[in-house]
Amino acid sequence: MTLTILSARGVDLTVRRAAAADVPAVVALLERDPVARARGDYEDVVDASAYLRAFDRIDADPAQLLVVADLPDAPVVATMQLTWIPGLARAGATRLQVEAVRVDEEHRSRGIGEALVRWACEEGERQGATLVQLTSDRTRDRAHAFYERLGFVASHVGFKRRLG
């Protein structure tokens, strides 16, 4: 992926593949999320190197892309993870799964999330995806309205099950 400059309400936003050096900033964005905190996602993490091992696995997989967005005066103000999923359903369609979209609280409502998600949809299409899908916690009403405004439809009910 090459470096991409987007305009988010007149501000240049650099979208790029995350590097190992970005992992602490990405984890900080994820940890500050109130829904993730309420689930206890980060309470039991005692081995910070687990994040770097996960990053290495993501970065080595050609079907995965961890993205960060930088402003000229602020690095890593947003992140998301993209996964291309080839399948037999829908006549052999490839889906783009969008996960862990986060924009730093200080930089919200500036068009960054919208620019990032629109870019993801365009990148998905460039890479051969015919459908973009994502899940959002049922308590995130503002996020749901945001995704619907961008053309997403709440078409399915999702299920999760913890393992281990």
Side-chain angles (χ1 to χ4, degrees):
M1 181 204 136
T2 59
L3 188 72
T4 304
I5 308 294
L6 305 174
S7 179
R9 296 193 184 144
V11 177
D12 286 341
L13 181 69
T14 303
V15 178
R16 62 182 172 81
R17 174 184 289 273
D22 297 316
V23 170
V26 170
V27 170
L29 281 173
L30 298 173
E31 286 179 332
R32 286 194 298 268
D33 175 61
V35 173
R37 275 197 315 267
R39 285 190 305 243
D41 288 0
Y42 302 95
E43 291 175 354
D44 299 329
V45 177
V46 292
D47 181 9
S49 66
Y51 293 117
L52 287 174
R53 287 191 303 274
F55 172 80
D56 289 342
R57 288 179 35 220
I58 293 165
D59 199 47
D61 184 343
Q64 302 280 337
L65 179 60
L66 182 64
V67 171
V68 293
D70 304 319
L71 291 172
D73 59 345
V76 191
V77 297
T79 187
M80 68 181 165
Q81 184 174 341
L82 308 179
T83 305
W84 282 263
I85 308 168
L88 296 178
R90 295 180 181 252
T94 295
R95 298 168 190 245
L96 173 62
Q97 178 76 26
V98 179
E99 287 288 327
V101 178
R102 301 291 191 282
V103 177
D104 185 85
E105 295 166 350
E106 184 179 324
H107 298 284
R108 288 189 189 147
S109 299
R110 296 174 62 184
I112 293 169
E114 179 174 346
L116 202 56
V117 171
R118 288 188 188 283
W119 175 87
C121 292
E122 292 167 6
E123 184 66 15
E125 193 170 2
R126 276 192 294 275
Q127 300 297 327
T130 59
L131 179 76
V132 178
Q133 62 188 28
L134 56 85
T135 60
S136 178
D137 189 276
R138 67 179 63 217
T139 64
R140 296 184 192 271
D141 295 329
R142 289 184 64 211
H144 302 166
F146 167 77
Y147 290 122
E148 287 171 352
R149 186 170 54 80
L150 295 180
F152 289 82
V153 176
S155 61
H156 290 70
V157 174
F159 296 88
K160 295 184 181 185
R161 178 180 168 192
R162 285 196 179 267
L163 301 175

